[in-house]
Amino acid sequence: MKSEIRHEQKRVDVVIDTIMRQIETLETETGRRKEEVTQTRKHFWDEVKVNTDTFDDFLETVIALRQQAQSLTVSESTHKQAQKKLAALHRMKGKPYFGRIDFTEEGEPTERVYIGISTLTDQTGEDFLIYDWRAPISSVYYDYPPGQAEYNTPGGIIRGTVESKWQYLIRDGVIQSMFDTSITIGDEILQEVLGKRTDNHMHSIVATIQQKQNQIIRHDHGRLLIVQGAAGSGKTSAALQRIAYLLYKYRETLKADQIILFSPNSMFNSYVSQVLPELGEENMEQVTFQEYLHHRLSKEFLVEGPYDQLEYVLRKEDNRQTYETRTASIQFKASSDFFNVIKSYRNSLEDSGMKFKGIKFRGKNIVTADEITERFYTCDCSLHFHNRLEKLTEWLLSLIDQAEKLERMEPWVEEAIELMSNEQYHKARKHFRKRNIPDDYEVEYEALRKLIVRKRFKKLRKWINSLQYVDVKSVYKQLFADPLEIGSLMSKKTPEKWEGICETTLEMLEKETLNYEDATPYLLLKELILGFQTNTSIKHVLIDEAQDYSPFQFEFIKRLFPSAKMTVLGDFNQAIFAHANEHIDFSNLTELYGQDETDQINLTESYRSTKPIIEFTRRLVPGGEHISAFERDGAKPALTRVADHDDLHDRIAETIEKWREHGYHSIAVICKTAAESEMVFGSLNQVENLKLMKSVSLEYEQGVVVIPAYLAKGIEFDAVIIYDASDNTYGDESLRRLFYTACTRAMHQLQLYTIGKPTHFIEL
């Protein structure tokens, strides 16, 4: 074995020497390219002779401009590609590759295929020294043990035999260990990766991709891929590698800005922000669904966020009747049934029910709301709904034209002319000269009247063209005005507590606020009335923590991105929002995209936590026996009963200090709610550099943090303290998933404290 390592080390030395030579060459080239781009930009117009005397001269100028612009684009693109390759080489120089397969293609000699984060060829460019982990042949490394194997290429399926499979641990150009393995990934490498302390960011997992994760990464058919995975099963990591794979495979047609990731919160965005750059790819757009709703609705309403809704549900501070009405409202408005109600309601507006705003100018009616309604319903009703709105807009603009002409002779116009400053007057005369208006007092005075009135009516025209005269708020209110009316729109019976739901919804709308459960329905109705603002440039949508999205929201997102493929990642054991019920699954999504267009991959093995922690957490949820633990030993979770809050805070401070001495970088004190988190943060003043994480936190920070359980989803910590695991805090069955979510954040240590009887979820 020692001789084999020496032989392989010689190869590593050759590869690193090649990398260093290429770095030197590329640094010179990128410097030259950068200078070329700078000079081209600086002297862009020097190279173009602008001549517009004749049409031929003008055409020649346009062609010259286009050629110069194309030349600049090529130079910029070449410089960018060289920089990208240079960055990849710098990442590879200390750890050039991590794996190797000895593969014999049918009818060909055995080839040693070395696999790393990027492709590397020798100086001639003909022989591959390293294959990119996303290359077709690299899939064999992840999918097959020694024996018969095959992989897909653009030219068809290649079959052959994996003679052996090797894994390397290389640091700073030196082989630390290498071994032949007959399983997908050797325990040694995975143990080392999983045994590390956490830091501020999630990292790429290309050296430790498992077979199921590789299926996710290279999945490339159908419209929808559903990934249902246990906590810590690597579903988010695999999805991000999937994006890197798609950007590699379709690099000629797919760009990072054509991919969007819906993530749970801004802190999570920060946490995963380094994965793609580590692999040499640009980050796709990352947004939360709440940010999208805020972007679309914040000018009309104060919109509640999902975590504010969840805080309301967890804290139960309203009286029982009000609370039950609100939770019933949340569940119904999240359903596909309500989605269909909104669609049926919009269809009913073809015949009656549309609401409009009257149009005034300087306090005088141009047209009343009733007149607009009458015009809408008496025009050609054979026209499509949106065509009728277009006709209505044209009619309103014609009324504005008439009103504008009459307004020119009003006294206020003459007053406005008299109050014009010299600067305004000269600006107006300049405008007249451009329009060839004669330099005559009478003509000019009349032109001034037109100009002033036209300027005042400009905002009104814009308001009409953007269909703001349609009173969508009143149309949405109308749906709840008569509790009996919805019966005609429902395919099933009216939901429970419907009268109370109608009453509280109207109260909310009167305050110009939107509860989170109303935001998407309101936006859907608005889109169905005014025209859907679809985004056809997005080719792929990822949704993480998909179990927190309602069926209503999924249907909306599909309409929003009609051309996109979708990857959704979820764990129903972590479905903590109020719209989730005991029997949630992704069946509604399958129905939405069709069985033939949908694939589902289940990940049942968990890697985040030690085996004792996983064995503890899987007993917390139904079906947890299907979750399997990776063989990584560690301390068993501990449950400590304390006398009171003062005792609890002292114990927590002691535990944190002990863990810090042990070398743990990230420690979380996980609470049930944000309100409890704030209280705990204020009480642990003896803990140095303690941080409080809130829903508005933009970045995930290392160190010791106090955080509500729902904000910790998707993030992992070296060690976790569950603040109060008592039955008093986590006694309700609806909190089982929240408790499971909190406990599964721990990688190496899990300490639970309880004041009084521990929650009945625990079976130690």
Side-chain angles (χ1 to χ4, degrees):
M1 188 65 182
K2 288 184 178 179
S3 62
E4 182 71 21
I5 289 179
R6 283 197 296 271
H7 175 75
E8 285 293 317
Q9 183 63 56
K10 287 180 181 178
R11 185 184 191 278
V12 170
D13 295 340
V14 170
V15 168
I16 290 176
D17 182 63
T18 303
I19 290 172
M20 298 309 293
R21 286 172 182 270
Q22 291 191 16
I23 285 174
E24 187 179 345
T25 302
L26 271 174
E27 283 178 341
T28 303
E29 184 182 335
T30 52
R32 181 172 56 81
R33 291 288 183 186
K34 184 178 180 180
E35 181 62 24
E36 280 180 12
V37 170
T38 303
Q39 289 301 315
T40 303
R41 285 175 178 166
K42 187 176 180 180
H43 301 290
F44 186 90
W45 293 102
D46 297 348
E47 304 297 324
V48 179
K49 184 181 178 183
V50 178
N51 189 341
T52 58
D53 292 345
T54 67
F55 178 76
D56 287 343
D57 292 334
F58 174 73
L59 189 61
E60 189 177 326
T61 300
V62 169
I63 291 171
L65 279 169
R66 184 175 296 171
Q67 287 174 340
Q68 188 72 351
Q70 285 175 342
S71 174
L72 178 59
T73 300
V74 169
S75 294
E76 287 176 332
S77 178
T78 305
H79 177 245
K80 188 176 180 180
Q81 289 301 317
Q83 277 190 317
K84 186 175 178 181
K85 180 62 179 175
L86 184 59
L89 289 170
H90 276 295
R91 287 193 300 273
M92 293 168 68
K93 64 185 179 184
K95 197 183 329 182
Y97 46 85
F98 53 81
R100 181 188 107 204
I101 53 172
D102 296 347
F103 186 73
T104 306
E105 185 182 333
E106 292 177 352
E108 298 290 337
T110 300
E111 180 186 2
R112 287 189 169 188
V113 177
Y114 291 83
I115 298 164
I117 62 166
S118 186
T119 298
L120 181 74
T121 59
D122 64 5
Q123 294 299 104
T124 68
E126 295 178 0
D127 292 330
F128 283 86
L129 300 177
I130 304 172
Y131 284 84
D132 192 296
W133 66 276
R134 296 165 289 187
I137 194 171
S138 300
S139 66
V140 174
Y141 174 76
Y142 298 112
D143 288 342
Y144 293 98
Q148 296 298 304
E150 63 182 42
Y151 63 95
N152 289 313
T153 72
I157 297 175
I158 303 295
R159 293 181 175 85
T161 304
V162 178
E163 308 295 347
S164 62
K165 208 158 91 169
W166 290 82
Q167 295 169 348
Y168 298 85
L169 188 56
I170 303 172
R171 281 205 195 99
D172 299 324
V174 178
I175 297 177
Q176 304 292 315
S177 63
M178 57 174 284
F179 44 90
D180 192 352
T181 177
S182 59
I183 58 175
T184 306
I185 296 295
D187 287 355
E188 289 85 347
I189 287 183
L190 197 48
Q191 286 277 13
E192 196 219 11
V193 171
L194 297 175
K196 286 180 178 177
R197 306 290 185 252
T198 60
D199 62 18
N200 283 19
H201 301 286
M202 178 185 285
H203 295 281
S204 69
I205 58 165
V206 293
T208 58
I209 292 168
Q210 304 292 282
Q211 187 175 17
K212 277 284 187 77
Q213 293 167 338
N214 195 45
Q215 289 177 22
I216 296 166
I217 291 166
R218 294 174 190 264
H219 183 276
D220 203 16
H221 54 274
R223 180 89 185 274
L224 169 68
L225 174 62
I226 297 170
V227 180
Q228 161 65 28
S233 58
K235 51 189 178 294
T236 300
S237 296
L240 293 170
Q241 319 296 316
R242 170 167 170 70
I243 293 305
Y245 170 76
L246 293 172
L247 289 170
Y248 171 84
K249 183 174 181 181
Y250 299 105
R251 50 192 174 277
E252 301 300 326
T253 57
L254 181 66
K255 305 301 177 191
D257 60 6
Q258 294 173 308
I259 302 170
I260 188 168
L261 166 65
F262 281 101
S263 58
N265 51 60
S266 299
M267 187 171 64
F268 181 84
N269 286 345
S270 164
Y271 182 59
V272 302
S273 63
Q274 294 303 308
V275 175
L276 288 176
E278 274 185 11
L279 298 170
E281 301 293 349
E282 292 180 23
N283 262 324
M284 67 263 153
E285 183 179 355
Q286 299 177 50
V287 69
T288 66
F289 193 64
Q290 171 61 16
E291 285 170 342
Y292 173 75
L293 292 175
H294 185 268
H295 169 69
R296 295 296 311 278
L297 297 173
S298 59
K299 291 180 180 177
E300 301 173 64
F301 296 100
L302 178 64
V303 184
E304 180 189 47
Y307 296 125
D308 296 318
Q309 183 201 72
L310 188 54
E311 277 287 312
Y312 173 87
V313 172
L314 293 174
R315 292 167 69 176
K316 296 186 177 181
E317 292 180 343
D318 267 342
N319 65 63
R320 182 175 176 180
Q321 185 175 353
T322 303
Y323 180 83
E324 288 179 352
T325 299
R326 174 79 194 272
T327 53
S329 177
I330 290 170
Q331 289 181 1
F332 177 61
K333 290 173 181 175
S335 67
S336 295
D337 288 339
F338 193 53
F339 190 92
N340 292 328
V341 165
I342 295 291
K343 288 197 296 184
S344 298
Y345 180 46
R346 156 53 192 86
N347 291 336
S348 74
L349 298 176
E350 301 267 358
D351 303 315
S352 64
M354 278 290 284
K355 301 285 184 183
F356 299 98
K357 301 170 189 173
I359 300 172
K360 294 182 177 182
F361 182 78
R362 292 179 62 83
K364 294 185 296 185
N365 276 331
I366 295 176
V367 59
T368 66
D370 289 341
E371 288 170 333
I372 298 174
T373 303
E374 183 182 0
R375 178 78 180 192
F376 182 76
Y377 285 114
T378 55
C379 72
D380 187 355
C381 292
S382 64
L383 288 174
H384 188 275
F385 185 86
H386 294 116
N387 294 129
R388 287 161 70 182
L389 275 180
E390 285 177 14
K391 291 286 185 184
L392 189 62
T393 300
E394 289 173 8
W395 177 67
L396 290 173
L397 289 173
S398 70
L399 295 182
I400 293 297
D401 288 342
Q402 295 170 26
E404 185 183 316
K405 288 176 183 176
L406 294 173
E407 203 66 29
R408 290 171 192 164
M409 303 311 296
E410 292 295 317
W412 70 266
V413 182
E414 195 164 332
E415 290 174 16
I417 293 173
E418 290 173 1
L419 292 172
M420 286 179 73
S421 65
N422 286 336
E423 184 182 351
Q424 289 172 326
Y425 180 69
H426 288 303
K427 192 174 180 180
R429 292 201 66 183
K430 190 175 180 181
H431 171 75
F432 297 153
R433 284 195 294 273
K434 281 185 181 178
R435 292 177 173 267
N436 296 318
I437 294 173
D439 191 11
D440 176 88
Y441 176 78
E442 291 296 331
V443 175
E444 192 177 89
Y445 192 75
E446 186 60 29
L448 273 175
R449 283 179 174 275
K450 287 182 181 181
L451 185 65
I452 287 169
V453 176
R454 170 56 65 108
K455 192 173 181 181
R456 294 288 178 90
F457 271 84
K458 187 177 181 180
K459 281 187 180 179
L460 200 51
R461 280 192 169 81
K462 186 178 179 181
W463 188 79
I464 292 169
N465 275 315
S466 60
L467 303 181
Q468 291 186 60
Y469 64 88
V470 180
D471 193 350
V472 181
K473 288 182 187 177
S474 294
V475 178
Y476 191 67
K477 281 182 185 178
Q478 185 175 246
L479 181 59
F480 304 94
D482 183 355
L484 299 177
E485 191 67 29
I486 197 173
S488 62
L489 303 173
M490 284 286 293
S491 58
K492 300 177 183 178
K493 67 176 183 178
T494 306
E496 288 185 25
K497 304 186 182 298
W498 179 245
E499 287 190 18
I501 291 172
C502 289
E503 185 180 335
T504 55
T505 303
L506 290 173
E507 288 173 4
M508 170 201 67
L509 292 170
E510 286 298 326
K511 297 174 184 174
E512 299 292 304
T513 62
L514 266 188
N515 286 339
Y516 186 64
E517 63 269 22
D518 283 280
T520 313
Y522 176 84
L523 187 55
L524 174 68
L525 180 63
K526 182 177 182 178
E527 300 284 81
L528 291 174
I529 291 172
L530 304 183
F532 226 95
Q533 294 188 25
T534 58
N535 188 328
T536 55
S537 66
I538 296 295
K539 294 184 178 180
H540 208 108
V541 175
L542 281 87
I543 300 181
D544 204 356
E545 303 295 349
Q547 75 280 348
D548 293 338
Y549 287 72
S550 68
F552 197 114
Q553 289 170 332
F554 274 127
E555 294 213 36
F556 182 85
I557 289 170
K558 185 189 176 187
R559 282 175 171 257
L560 184 61
F561 302 104
S563 304
K565 291 186 175 183
M566 186 175 288
T567 300
V568 301
L569 320 158
D571 176 13
F572 295 121
N573 287 324
Q574 298 181 67
I576 59 176
F577 280 87
H579 59 75
N581 56 49
E582 292 305 308
H583 306 289
I584 58 168
D585 56 30
F586 284 132
S587 58
N588 65 296
L589 257 179
T590 303
E591 291 170 12
L592 195 58
Y593 284 88
Q595 192 76 45
D596 295 340
E597 288 291 314
T598 303
D599 281 323
Q600 181 163 335
I601 297 174
N602 297 320
L603 300 175
T604 57
E605 187 162 17
S606 183
Y607 302 96
R608 172 185 296 137
S609 310
T610 61
K611 188 175 182 180
I613 292 175
I614 293 170
E615 287 180 341
F616 167 75
T617 56
R618 71 183 180 183
R619 292 198 297 269
L620 299 176
V621 287
E625 65 274 9
H626 300 299
I627 300 170
S628 57
F630 179 74
E631 290 289 341
R632 183 162 63 91
D633 203 13
K636 287 184 177 181
L639 174 65
T640 304
R641 191 164 178 165
V642 296
D644 52 32
H645 282 93
D646 289 337
D647 187 16
L648 173 58
H649 298 149
D650 288 341
R651 295 286 192 99
I652 289 174
E654 289 171 10
T655 302
I656 290 170
E657 186 59 34
K658 180 180 70 176
W659 284 348
R660 275 175 162 166
E661 289 173 2
H662 194 72
Y664 291 126
H665 300 309
S666 64
I667 301 169
V669 181
I670 300 185
C671 302
K672 177 182 168 183
T673 64
E676 186 178 68
S677 297
E678 290 192 23
M679 181 275 291
V680 172
F681 178 73
S683 301
L684 292 176
N685 47 30
Q686 69 268 50
V687 178
E688 291 184 15
N689 299 319
L690 187 67
K691 303 179 184 76
L692 175 64
M693 305 309 293
K694 301 180 180 181
S695 60
V696 294
S697 299
L698 297 179
E699 290 190 9
Y700 168 66
E701 297 185 56
Q702 278 262 279
V704 184
V705 300
V706 180
I707 188 169
Y710 53 80
L711 267 190
K713 285 200 344 176
I715 298 174
E716 54 195 25
F717 303 91
D718 291 331
V720 164
I721 293 169
I722 304 298
Y723 176 71
D724 182 12
S726 68
D727 211 48
N728 185 48
T729 301
Y730 291 101
D732 196 308
E733 186 60 29
S734 65
L735 298 172
R736 181 181 288 275
R737 294 185 183 117
L738 185 71
F739 187 70
Y740 170 81
T741 299
C743 293
T744 54
R745 301 305 94 202
M747 292 179 65
H748 308 294
Q749 294 278 358
L750 175 60
Q751 169 69 59
L752 302 94
Y753 287 103
T754 176
I755 303 174
K757 180 185 174 184
T759 173
H760 63 280
F761 303 149
I762 297 176
E763 296 177 14
L764 284 174

